[in-house]
Amino acid sequence: MKPAIGMLVRASALASTALILGMSGVAMAAEAGAAADAAAAEMQQDASGALADIVVTAEKRPTSLQKTPISISVLGANDIQNRHVQSLLDLSNGAIPSLRVAPFFSRNSALIVNIRGIGVLSDGNQPARDQGVGVYVDGVYLGRPQGLGAALYDIESIEVLKGPQGTLFGRNTEGGAVSITTKKPTGEFGVNLIGGIGNFGYYKTEAHVDLPEFHNFSLKIDGIVTARNGTVSNPLSSAWGFNAYQRRGLHTQLQWKPSPDFTANYSYDTSYDASSSLYQQAIEAGTQARAPILPLQPKRAKSATIGVPEQPSIGKNSGHGLFLDWKVAPNLTLKSISSYRELSQSQFDNAAATTTTLPTALKANGQFARYSLAEFYQHQYSQEFQAIGDLGRVHYVVGAMGFHEHVRDNAQAFYTMQLNADGTAATVLPLPSGNVAAIPVNVPGAAVDRASRISTDSYGVFGQFTWTPAILEDNLHLTAGARWTNDKKNGELYIVNNKLPVDAYGVSRVLDFKKSWSRVDPMINLAYDVARDIHVYGKWSTGYKSGGANSRSLSYMPFNPETVSIFEIGAKTEFFDRHVRFNIAAYTGTYKDIQLDFAAPYYNLDANGNPITAGNIRTTLDTYNAAGKGRVKGVEAELMIAPVRGLTLSANYAYTSVRIPDTFNPYPTYVEGKGMVINTTPIRIYTTYTPKNALSGSIDWERPFSGFTLAAHFDVNYDDGFYTASTAPVFKGDSSTVFNGRLALSDIELGSGDAKLTVSLWARNLFNEQHRFYISGNSAAGMTSFFNEPRTFGVEARVQF
């Protein structure tokens, strides 16, 4: 508690300093004049010092955040810059409390994304499984969690739509949607160059170029190169450190605007993302002895205990998009979104190398440090049509969408280290050569644990209509909508343990599944404008996560979609001439057919086929839909205050409760001396990656001076910890309080032209707080953990002209 109290005291001191500086800014307001207006416009305030209106596209058309009757949080370009957000993974510290982003186990190359506790309970890192939160870039759905950790380009905003979005966004949005919008060509010449360096060998170079319009064509080019060494060093000199990355990317947009009513935008992007795994530490001993060369590390480590092989997981992502926008008439706009994307992602994960205990590895020169390898390939194409318009008192959006993807993957695992006879030394093993891989893979001499492939086709039509009747002074708005969706999946599990799988009848063959599901997701919303700046609403909506199959399975049996149905009420309010904004939402609903993973026993058998040990040689999981109904409920509140010009204070809070019904383990458990024992008692299921209480607050201050503008940002993010496993043994991660900050000098004129310089200092985890966000283990092997990142900081320069 003492470190947390100390940090809060320091935070209060910094907040007080910012408030004093802000009040000083009032005294200079007359002197600042127009410069103050320009400075405020770049923040959350308009030219008058009131809170600026925020425009969102949650309803497929531009609307005011305050008048859009759903729970939405928005990070604008300034927020992204101030929090030093370079990829979606940088939102993992809780900038938006209802949104949780985390690496899948130790892998920054594949992300888990949850909203309101719904999205992924365990393993969404598979071809035939989907996540429950949709991620969109410029309206294009990204079908896989792989690749989401890549660097973000020139971002206009990130909208987080909370609660099921089944009507307008469709499949796999039961928890909500994350909509990322990039900046578009302006048609005017402009250059934005950014360079920065920081600790852990960090560097970044960005270039954003807007070319002047030529014969109705405008071109924008964005490029980024960034890298960082590991935050945990690896004593093996030839290996990567842990939690390192190298990223680069290019984004180009060519826009044709032959008339004010028609725009065509072609977009191409390509990215390269190389990242190493996090470092899993042994934090507490169990009954089993540990090798002397692998001591415990109860605090966040700066270095691994010994050097182990570790190479980067490499993701390559590219895509084409064609976006058409035609205003056919004053009350009708037609839109088309066409996209084709390709993704490849390798995996090299040696995160748990130093957590070995003696009975596991030490059998006279025993092997350890299991290297988990995988290859993942995907391509997708999609087409969406929208018609957006007005018919008198009715606003509407109708549309249709088609989506196809093909995905394949494979996995290998082998040991990379060998202990000596007493566990006091270890050597690196050569790559395996004793097997012949069943298919072409990264390491041909290692067995292939599994390989699968799947094709998905999804089609849907949707419509949403908002009617404002001629009563109550046009303050009542009734919205109703629905989407029909059909999903079809056709998959094959064609390798298990380096050979054909064996079906339930003992026949070796490719295991396949073909399954389709159709459903309708309705939505009803009743909104009322109590006053010009006070809006209330009530909403009912549904959503789902698609069915599929588990590629870690031995049977490859299909499972069905899971669904949510949510009632939400909310209020969006502004006071004191829009100097105070307070938005609040409360929700409750049901969570059904929840997709749960259970470990399928893979036993060593005697001559009669009876199990003699419970030794798993690899992870074998099957997925079942839980019986019964779960319950989801929570409260979200956002407060923003502009007490004086140039100073903005904000606070966001989320309370989230997800109850999943107790469920029977469908598999018998092998008990020594008793054989196979049927499970007769239901087990508790825990929701994952979801703190019950989460809070984020920030202070933004800006003050113009003669020849430059001084700006400061400070934010704090708290949560009370969360589980990362859904079934026992489970351990709740530590609560955390993480501070970030940025100090900038901007608008520094360079010569007599239009060029301006900005120099900034930034820090993430400013006070170097440490907490365990992932804890696992048992009484025999002991406890292991992943810690949050240590403090990172740097300096950045930006030139704009």
Side-chain angles (χ1 to χ4, degrees), residues 482-702:
R483 176 188 286 251
W484 172 84
T485 308
N486 177 260
D487 291 340
K488 295 180 180 179
K489 290 191 174 183
N490 185 349
E492 294 181 336
L493 179 65
Y494 58 97
I495 294 178
V496 172
N497 295 333
N498 210 43
K499 57 187 178 182
L500 282 173
V502 178
D503 66 15
Y505 301 99
V507 178
S508 296
R509 64 177 182 87
V510 172
L511 302 179
D512 62 353
F513 89 94
K514 296 181 181 180
K515 193 82 172 175
S516 65
W517 304 270
S518 293
R519 63 175 281 113
V520 174
D521 285 297
M523 186 276 290
I524 298 174
N525 192 313
L526 183 63
Y528 184 69
D529 304 327
V530 179
R532 185 194 67 173
D533 295 326
I534 300 177
H535 313 277
V536 296
Y537 68 90
K539 176 188 175 187
W540 170 66
S541 60
T542 66
Y544 78 101
K545 179 167 67 177
S546 182
N550 195 320
S551 61
R552 297 182 186 273
S553 170
L554 298 175
S555 64
Y556 208 50
M557 66 177 187
F559 52 83
N560 290 319
E562 67 177 36
T563 64
V564 295
S565 174
I566 299 292
F567 292 90
E568 177 182 317
I569 58 173
K572 298 192 171 185
T573 64
E574 291 179 323
F575 306 97
F576 304 110
D577 199 20
R578 291 175 46 211
H579 282 71
V580 175
R581 177 178 296 157
F582 179 66
N583 297 340
I584 188 168
Y587 60 90
T588 184
T590 57
Y591 191 11
K592 297 195 304 181
D593 299 317
I594 303 169
Q595 296 166 6
L596 300 178
D597 289 350
F598 292 94
Y602 193 89
Y603 297 113
N604 299 315
L605 305 178
D606 63 18
N608 299 317
N610 297 314
I612 52 176
T613 69
N616 265 1
I617 64 168
R618 71 175 184 89
T619 304
T620 53
L621 298 173
D622 270 316
T623 303
Y624 286 80
N625 294 99
K629 293 182 181 180
R631 174 63 61 178
V632 181
K633 62 181 179 180
V635 176
E636 296 156 342
E638 297 189 353
L639 174 66
M640 185 174 287
I641 304 173
V644 295
R645 177 174 296 190
L647 178 65
T648 306
L649 312 176
S650 68
N652 303 313
Y653 170 74
Y655 166 79
T656 308
S657 174
V658 180
R659 183 187 61 80
I660 301 172
D662 292 351
T663 304
F664 287 94
N665 184 341
Y667 291 106
T669 301
Y670 178 74
V671 178
E672 193 72 36
K674 296 183 179 180
M676 305 296 285
V677 176
I678 301 296
N679 296 293
T680 58
T681 303
I683 60 175
R684 180 180 174 184
I685 308 296
Y686 297 80
T687 189
T688 58
Y689 297 97
T690 303
K692 181 159 285 190
N693 296 281
L695 174 69
S696 178
S698 65
I699 300 172
D700 288 279
W701 173 79
E702 194 165 86

Side-chain angles (χ1 to χ4, degrees), residues 197-332:
I197 57 173
N199 61 336
F200 297 107
Y202 165 83
Y203 66 85
K204 179 178 78 168
T205 303
E206 283 188 59
H208 308 283
V209 180
D210 256 307
L211 296 181
E213 183 179 309
F214 180 75
H215 290 279
N216 301 321
F217 285 92
S218 303
L219 180 66
K220 186 174 189 292
I221 303 172
D222 304 300
I224 183 170
V225 177
T226 184
R228 187 186 70 190
N229 297 332
T231 56
V232 178
S233 63
N234 188 343
L236 184 63
S237 59
S238 61
W240 271 46
F242 294 93
N243 196 28
Y245 62 77
Q246 292 180 359
R247 298 171 182 150
R248 58 181 182 265
L250 175 69
H251 183 207
T252 62
Q253 297 180 76
L254 179 64
Q255 182 171 283
W256 179 46
K257 196 174 181 67
S259 75
D261 296 329
F262 181 82
T263 302
N265 184 299
Y266 167 73
S267 172
Y268 171 74
D269 67 89
T270 180
S271 66
Y272 172 93
D273 179 17
S275 62
S276 58
S277 60
L278 304 181
Y279 178 63
Q280 189 174 24
Q281 301 178 208
I283 58 173
E284 185 178 311
T287 57
Q288 297 172 350
R290 294 191 56 78
I293 200 175
L294 303 174
L296 296 174
Q297 294 178 295
K299 300 295 184 180
R300 184 170 57 209
K302 295 181 179 180
S303 174
T305 54
I306 59 171
V308 297
E310 175 70 19
Q311 64 193 92
S313 302
I314 296 176
K316 298 178 181 179
N317 205 334
S318 64
H320 304 264
L322 180 62
F323 308 87
L324 307 180
D325 190 308
W326 181 24
K327 191 173 183 180
V328 180
N331 60 350
L332 176 62

Side-chain angles (χ1 to χ4, degrees), residues 170 461 564 760:
V461 293
V564 295
S760 60

